[in-house]
Amino acid sequence: MDPRFVQAFLTTDLIALDILAVLGIIFFFRLSKDQKTQLCFWLPFLILIFTVLRSNMGGYANYNYEFKKAVNAYLGNTEFPRYSLWLKNVGDILILTVLYFFLIKSWLEPSKKKYINWMLIVFVVTSQIIQFSGLEPIYWFQPIIFSIGANMILVGCGLYFVGLMTNDTYLKSNPLRLVSFWQMTFLLFTYSLTYINDVAMPFLVTYNYELGKSMYQINEVMIVCNLAIFVLTIASPKLPNLFEREPSYGFS
């Protein structure tokens, strides 16, 4: 077998993501027709599939160096053709952040949803201005855009936990048996643990590439953990003894 293929696709984290994707697809198609149309199921499924496809696309970029080099050249990056940061910037920092905004919004009570709407607009507009102005090109690290999105995600998670402690519908529930609690908890941990890594990554890969590569493994572990929670979310109707029904506005 081609060593490049093994190195690109048969990594522990990518295999774990592919397994989670298969499980997610199986559980999603076992949902009832009505459940498949509910936001609390199809949005986690969408995030799961998108993340796995993006990760496999990253594997392909590492496998096909000429493809990665050509894309970098098209975007204006001829100095560092071995990087596929354009894929991370578009897939993770932009699209995935937007999807997480919608996920957080789905679990907030109606009075707090407007805050996510404003943060979403500000993030998209600001990120595009920063990117197209050339301050942070699409083919290079984007710590400013990442930090803006990460801070807003953390604020959104904070809004959820405030509701968890103050809203009567949540106070009557056991948080440890709510899929929303585990989604928001792992999302909070992910952006908290990886915040310094992503902001400092330009410095690390420039002056200590191996250290930066090692620290990026934290991101990979948290991605797997998040997607595992999404698979449990999709499977939750089959696990009534493990999870409780969410408060009614969590399904709107």
Side-chain angles (χ1 to χ4, degrees):
M1 186 176 291
D2 188 345
R4 290 186 305 155
F5 181 88
V6 173
Q7 187 175 10
F9 291 103
L10 300 185
T11 60
T12 303
D13 60 298
L14 196 53
I15 291 173
L17 293 181
D18 290 339
I19 292 173
L20 289 173
V22 172
L23 291 174
I25 291 171
I26 292 172
F27 285 123
F28 184 78
F29 283 99
R30 292 184 65 188
L31 294 174
S32 67
K33 196 172 188 180
D34 178 63
Q35 288 171 332
K36 290 177 184 176
T37 63
Q38 293 180 15
L39 185 64
C40 61
F41 294 120
W42 68 256
L43 183 55
F45 179 71
L46 175 62
I47 296 174
L48 168 68
I49 298 303
F50 174 80
T51 305
V52 174
L53 288 176
R54 193 222 66 80
S55 297
N56 278 277
M57 185 64 184
Y60 177 76
N62 291 330
Y63 171 72
N64 190 340
Y65 175 76
E66 292 303 320
F67 166 75
K68 180 165 57 175
K69 181 180 178 181
V71 174
N72 275 306
Y74 176 78
L75 296 173
N77 176 27
T78 56
E79 188 177 358
F80 299 100
R82 66 173 176 169
Y83 295 149
S84 53
L85 291 169
W86 45 271
L87 186 58
K88 174 179 172 60
N89 292 338
V90 174
D92 295 350
I93 295 182
L94 182 59
I95 297 177
L96 198 56
T97 300
V98 169
L99 291 175
Y100 280 142
F101 275 129
F102 284 114
L103 180 69
I104 295 171
K105 180 182 175 181
S106 70
W107 296 122
L108 296 181
E109 54 190 310
S111 63
K112 291 186 174 67
K113 292 180 186 290
K114 60 184 178 182
Y115 300 117
I116 299 298
N117 291 336
W118 280 108
M119 285 192 286
L120 178 58
I121 293 171
V122 170
F123 171 72
V124 172
V125 172
T126 303
S127 63
Q128 295 311 294
I129 291 174
I130 293 173
Q131 185 168 286
F132 285 103
S133 67
L135 182 60
E136 289 189 341
I138 191 174
Y139 58 78
W140 196 238
F141 294 99
Q142 296 186 334
I144 297 176
I145 295 176
F146 168 80
S147 61
I148 293 172
N151 282 314
M152 290 181 174
I153 291 292
L154 293 174
V155 170
C157 290
L159 292 174
Y160 168 82
F161 286 108
V162 169
L164 188 70
M165 295 183 288
T166 59
N167 191 285
D168 290 338
T169 55
Y170 271 129
L171 292 174
K172 296 175 183 177
S173 304
N174 178 0
L176 297 179
R177 297 188 63 188
L178 297 176
V179 292
S180 62
F181 172 81
W182 291 109
Q183 285 181 8
M184 295 301 102
T185 296
F186 274 86
L187 197 58
L188 181 67
F189 282 164
T190 297
Y191 279 89
S192 298
L193 291 174
T194 62
Y195 190 94
I196 299 299
N197 284 2
D198 282 82
V199 172
M201 197 58 68
F203 174 84
L204 291 174
V205 299
T206 301
Y207 297 100
N208 195 331
Y209 179 78
E210 291 303 319
L211 176 60
K213 186 177 179 180
S214 298
M215 292 186 67
Y216 189 74
Q217 292 177 355
I218 297 175
N219 300 48
E220 296 173 343
V221 170
M222 294 310 300
I223 289 173
V224 172
C225 291
N226 271 311
L227 296 194
I229 295 300
F230 291 146
V231 171
L232 285 176
T233 300
I234 299 167
S236 60
K238 306 296 182 183
L239 304 170
N241 295 326
L242 186 60
F243 295 108
E244 293 181 0
R245 181 178 176 82
E246 296 283 339
S248 59
Y249 63 74
F251 293 86
S252 63

